Amino acid sequence: IFWNGIINEGIKLVLPEEKVNNTFKASLVYDLIAREKRGNKYIQKVNHFQYDAFWLRDASFVARMYDVSGYHQIAREVLEFFPNWQNDDGNFVSHGGQFDGWGQVMWAYGQHFQITKDTSFAEWTYPQMKKAFTWLKNIRKTDSLGIIPVTTPGDNEDITGHVTGHNFWALSGLKNIQFIKSIHGYL
């Protein structure tokens, strides 16, 4: 009864294939189970087993899922944990050497605003994004190609070099924070 109540609060998917309907519901419940509350903050983890940790990339995707599924408050709770991972220089990093977090946070913030039109959320994110934008401008100046610099992410790439995905996430993040112009003017 508890889970049915939560499931009924969001989007209603009704497809002729019951397995698809149940898979969506199960995936939603698994993501909700992976949330952990510490004090007044919610941490969206991947799960409580092998990946019992927080990653900006995964939490960004999950926050987007909550939003498109109609769980805007839960999405905002996920996003409100992100500033804990913003460095003093403005970059968002949940795991060293992985520069994809910057773009994924900007993308997730922009996506949430585009769906909810929540101006209080935009006001809350603005100082973070301004600081993050400064990091991007400064870090690009240090690279001979003018892009996100060489790194060793230690993930699937298992390389040292320019990671194409980090730059595409930065572009996507920039595209998705355009709402700042309408609220605060240009960065």
Side-chain angles (χ1 to χ4, degrees):
I1 292 175
F2 172 79
W3 288 115
N4 285 335
I6 291 174
I7 289 169
N8 290 332
E9 291 175 16
I11 191 173
K12 309 293 183 272
L13 289 182
V14 181
L15 301 169
E17 179 60 50
E18 192 63 26
K19 185 175 185 178
V20 175
N21 297 325
N22 290 336
T23 299
F24 170 76
K25 293 174 189 175
S27 296
L28 173 63
V29 169
Y30 289 140
D31 282 335
L32 289 166
I33 288 171
R35 285 171 24 114
E36 183 176 304
K37 187 172 184 183
R38 288 189 195 155
N40 62 349
K41 302 239 184 231
Y42 287 89
I43 304 164
Q44 181 65 57
K45 298 180 180 182
V46 179
N47 58 46
H48 291 296
F49 304 106
Q50 182 177 357
Y51 293 102
D52 186 19
F54 173 83
W55 279 271
L56 287 165
R57 79 172 69 87
D58 298 303
S60 294
F61 296 143
V62 175
R64 173 79 169 131
M65 178 280 300
Y66 288 139
D67 265 334
V68 297
S69 299
Y71 299 92
H72 307 303
Q73 180 57 39
I74 294 173
R76 183 165 177 163
E77 291 168 355
V78 170
L79 298 171
E80 287 175 348
F81 187 66
F82 287 11
N84 293 303
W85 298 93
Q86 187 171 31
N87 294 339
D88 290 339
D89 64 3
N91 192 13
F92 283 91
V93 179
S94 56
H95 290 77
Q98 298 180 6
F99 291 139
D100 53 352
W102 187 96
Q104 288 159 340
V105 170
M106 299 300 103
W107 171 79
Y109 282 176
Q111 289 291 301
H112 181 72
F113 178 79
Q114 289 176 42
I115 289 174
T116 65
K117 306 298 186 221
D118 181 349
T119 55
S120 70
F121 176 77
E123 294 286 340
W124 174 77
T125 62
Y126 179 71
Q128 300 165 52
M129 288 188 281
K130 188 173 181 180
K131 191 175 177 182
F133 188 73
T134 299
W135 173 83
L136 182 65
K137 285 193 319 187
N138 291 338
I139 201 72
R140 289 180 58 224
K141 290 176 187 174
T142 69
D143 185 76
S144 63
L145 299 176
I147 59 178
I148 292 182
V150 169
T151 188
T152 306
D155 203 354
N156 292 340
E157 301 90 350
D158 199 25
I159 61 158
T160 295
H162 288 99
V163 180
T164 305
H166 294 177
N167 290 285
F168 279 121
W169 272 114
L171 286 171
S172 183
L174 287 170
K175 178 181 179 240
N176 277 277
I177 59 172
Q178 293 299 312
F179 70 87
I180 295 173
K181 291 179 185 178
S182 65
I183 295 171
H184 290 285
Y186 291 95
L187 290 172

